[in-house]
Amino acid sequence: MKESKKQIIECLHSIYNEDKKKLRTEAILFGEKEDDLGWHSTASLGLSIEELNTLETSVSSYQGEMPLDYKNFLKQTNGAYLFDLIHIAGLERNYKNLSYHEETHEPRYLNELVRLISLEKKGPTRLKDYYFFGESFINGTVFAFDKEEKVIEFKEGSLRKIREFNNLDALLEQVFKVGKEHYENRMFIDFS
């Protein structure tokens, strides 16, 4: 099953069923973990064309043109935290008076991710060749599109290439496969 070909949120609903919670910010939390360890996945309202243009403009001087696969993803959900495996960046919407719970489930901001990578000693060179969009805390890696829109996973810090996916759909298919298995077996990662 090609999870990424369907709407991301629709796929998450099919995995988690009623195990979800919607926040005032329109973020949806999926898969509540036992012992108050948080939630397994988070997705939110997709970006409008105007918001997408704002985001692209804000990082274009660093990263150039936004890849089409990433644009299509952001139209579905403004970033996402999927199965404790990957955190895909999105746009900061500047909501006011957020609770701590709501704030912690905001997307990783693309501007912050790009800024941190640019501070790495190899970052500025890499930013010319790759479009960075996500990270995996558990693996200590970052994800970027190359010029052909293949997705490359790099070791954080050294930016050494770990593996390659044909496109964003191929990466998401693998993430959903592993994440679904983790959820079904209640294999959650404890970050505390």
Side-chain angles (χ1 to χ4, degrees), residues 88-135:
I88 298 175
L91 173 70
E92 180 177 11
R93 284 198 162 123
N94 296 315
Y95 291 113
K96 304 292 184 215
N97 303 317
L98 294 180
S99 69
Y100 174 77
H101 188 64
E102 290 166 330
E103 196 172 298
T104 58
H105 292 289
E106 280 294 283
R108 173 75 151 121
Y109 303 138
L110 184 60
N111 291 342
E112 287 177 6
L113 177 66
V114 172
R115 185 176 53 76
L116 289 174
I117 291 170
S118 71
L119 295 175
E120 303 277 342
K121 66 179 184 179
K122 294 183 181 179
T125 304
R126 294 287 191 189
L127 285 170
K128 292 177 186 172
D129 298 327
Y130 297 96
Y131 196 101
F132 289 87
F133 69 94
E135 60 195 329

